[in-house]
Amino acid sequence: MGKVIKMTKKPGKIDISAMKKFVNKKVGLDVAHDLRQDNPTEVKTWIPTGSRWLDSITCRGKYGGIPVGKITEIAGLSSAGKSFMAVQIAANAQRMGHTVVYFDAESAIDPMFLKDAGVNTDELLYVQAVSVEKTLETIEDLMGEYPETQFPFIWDSIAATSSEKEIESDYNPQSTMAVKPRIFAKAFPKLTIPLANQQCTLLLINQLKTNITNNMAEQMTTPYIAPGGKAIVYFTSMRIWLTKRKAKASFVTDDTGLRIGSEVKCKIEKSRFGTEGRTCAFKILWGSKVGIQDEESWLEALRLSQSDRFRVGGGWYYLTDSKGKEHKFRSSSWLDKLKDQKFKSLVFEIMDEEIIKKFDTEGKNFEVDKE
């Protein structure tokens, strides 16, 4: 048997601050952090999407949106509202004081549409996404040139942006197969840490495609896929998928019967904030008025919440406040009721209780964090 070595001296306490300086000096970048004081992994700010219901299901225990400092993907079917959501997020980011950089691969953004959606085009940097490589290089160069700026980068869309090799090549798809996934697999590991440290946001707009497979079970469970490769799946902190109904009830029409909007269903396909699989629905307006029918969706959110403070009976709806008083109304008067700020606050209170949930390890409710 070997000798048993006894410790005669306790190890001294290590100075974390000194270690941090040593590592950062060695690497040449600020990569070492004291999580008690400076946590680059924590999302401190969220950009609203324009839908209170959607913002309520993006992060467990917090009223969220699009996480600042992370990579987020919004993917959807054709005309499901992907670019519309991107423009709404751009407008909200500007209201927060951010300088938005909008990459457009289709040259399809109408300045009047941007203004109608609330975007200040005088403060927006519009860039044509001529190739995947140049777009990624521009993102990296802008962060390097303006290190104090918290850019929201919106890329619409990655599916429509060609690579350099695809531009220079012929029209044979076999000659450039899987080029973009390989580029993303190299780019996202390179960009993730700088985005987090500078608190810049990368919002990727993508397209959902039909999952063509012979596996019947997979057809049922995974009817759609998003192109771009596994790097998008691995490096995005959140993936929001948009689909739409085709029924007549899903459309918004004006007095003449013309369609001016449609219903959108959102599903959190991936979330590092504890909300994967949650869904919501709302209607968007893209006609004479541009926006989200946000308030109209709150009634459906309450109905699906199964709250004890909300009930339906005989065509009437009932909301119970904290004092036990019931507020009675019909669905046709919902928007008029919301003009009463006390009633509106009651709606928010119940939505926060039922939709924004936070649990400890024993499954008990925490108080909702309303930051």
Side-chain angles (χ1 to χ4, degrees):
M1 294 180 66
K3 276 188 175 182
V4 177
I5 301 175
K6 295 182 178 180
M7 295 292 293
T8 57
K9 186 178 180 182
K10 292 183 179 180
K13 189 175 181 180
I14 300 175
D15 187 349
I16 296 296
S17 298
M19 287 178 63
K20 184 174 77 170
K21 291 179 182 178
F22 170 78
V23 173
N24 288 337
K25 183 178 180 181
K26 182 73 176 176
V27 177
L29 296 170
D30 290 335
V31 295
H33 303 269
D34 184 347
L35 295 181
R36 298 167 299 177
Q37 302 173 355
D38 178 26
N39 185 357
T41 67
E42 180 185 1
V43 178
K44 304 177 182 68
T45 311
W46 303 77
I47 302 173
T49 62
S51 166
R52 195 179 202 281
W53 191 359
L54 178 56
D55 292 342
S56 298
I57 66 172
T58 53
C59 180
R60 186 178 64 177
K62 284 188 178 181
Y63 182 71
I66 303 300
V68 172
K70 305 297 180 183
I71 302 175
T72 299
E73 176 199 42
I74 295 180
L77 297 174
S78 174
S79 69
K82 304 181 296 297
S83 297
F84 178 87
M85 292 296 297
V87 169
Q88 291 287 304
I89 293 165
N92 289 328
Q94 285 186 331
R95 294 186 187 102
M96 296 170 66
H98 296 303
T99 301
V100 178
V101 181
Y102 197 103
F103 295 96
D104 182 14
E106 302 173 19
S107 295
I109 289 296
D110 180 6
M112 288 304 299
F113 176 76
L114 291 174
K115 291 180 180 179
D116 290 342
V119 175
N120 182 356
T121 54
D122 295 336
E123 300 294 330
L124 177 78
L125 179 61
Y126 173 85
V127 183
Q128 289 181 312
V130 293
S131 72
V132 174
E133 293 92 332
K134 282 187 171 59
T135 301
L136 292 166
E137 288 170 3
T138 302
I139 292 172
E140 186 178 32
D141 292 343
L142 283 172
M143 286 195 292
E145 186 68 22
Y146 301 93
E148 302 300 322
T149 304
Q150 297 179 359
F151 289 108
F153 297 107
I154 300 176
W155 188 348
D156 185 9
S157 70
I158 60 174
T161 310
S162 298
S163 66
E164 296 283 351
K165 189 172 182 179
E166 287 171 326
I167 295 172
E168 297 168 358
S169 182
D170 52 27
Y171 292 97
N172 181 5
Q174 300 293 330
S175 62
T176 55
M177 185 175 291
V179 171
K180 285 199 287 187
R182 294 203 304 270
I183 296 172
F184 291 140
K186 184 176 181 181
F188 290 156
K190 188 177 180 182
L191 289 174
T192 299
I193 291 178
L195 285 168
N197 288 349
Q198 194 168 324
Q199 287 294 283
C200 292
T201 308
L202 178 54
L203 177 60
L204 307 173
I205 307 302
N206 206 351
Q207 297 171 6
L208 287 181
K209 298 183 178 182
T210 302
N211 186 7
I212 301 174
T213 174
N214 293 327
N215 188 326
M216 294 299 294
E218 187 178 353
Q219 285 182 0
M220 298 295 292
T221 58
T222 314
Y224 305 111
I225 57 172
K230 291 293 185 182
I232 296 176
V233 180
Y234 295 148
F235 286 93
T236 50
S237 293
M238 183 178 299
R239 306 179 76 198
I240 303 172
W241 285 12
L242 308 180
T243 55
K244 63 176 185 177
R245 293 168 55 201
K246 295 182 179 180
K248 276 188 175 181
S250 67
F251 293 107
V252 182
T253 57
D254 61 13
D255 296 336
T256 64
L258 293 176
R259 293 179 183 176
I260 58 172
S262 58
E263 184 178 346
V264 175
K265 180 182 177 182
C266 299
K267 180 183 178 184
I268 309 297
E269 186 67 20
K270 176 190 174 181
S271 173
R272 290 184 176 169
F273 312 103
T275 58
E276 183 175 328
R278 301 195 71 181
T279 61
C280 70
F282 49 84
K283 292 182 179 179
I284 60 174
L285 300 176
W286 32 257
S288 55
K289 293 182 179 180
V290 177
I292 292 177
Q293 286 192 330
D294 190 26
E295 294 181 342
E296 288 84 347
S297 69
W298 300 346
L299 183 58
E300 180 67 9
L302 290 174
R303 189 181 68 81
L304 294 176
S305 69
Q306 298 181 347
S307 171
D308 294 336
R309 299 174 62 184
F310 175 82
R311 67 183 182 90
V312 183
W316 291 90
Y317 294 86
Y318 301 86
L319 280 182
T320 305
D321 59 26
S322 57
K323 297 180 180 178
K325 179 182 177 182
E326 277 195 335
H327 298 259
K328 179 181 176 182
F329 62 95
R330 290 190 181 273
S331 59
S332 58
S333 62
W334 170 250
L335 295 180
D336 290 332
K337 290 288 290 184
L338 288 175
K339 294 177 182 178
D340 182 351
Q341 290 302 315
K342 290 184 178 180
F343 182 82
K344 192 173 185 178
S345 298
L346 173 60
V347 172
F348 288 167
E349 180 183 329
I350 298 176
M351 285 183 67
D352 290 345
E353 285 178 359
E354 296 298 322
I355 300 175
I356 306 175
K357 294 182 178 179
K358 189 173 184 179
F359 302 97
D360 63 11
T361 54
E362 298 177 354
K364 297 177 182 177
N365 284 331
F366 274 115
E367 183 179 352
V368 173
D369 185 350
K370 298 180 181 178
E371 290 181 357

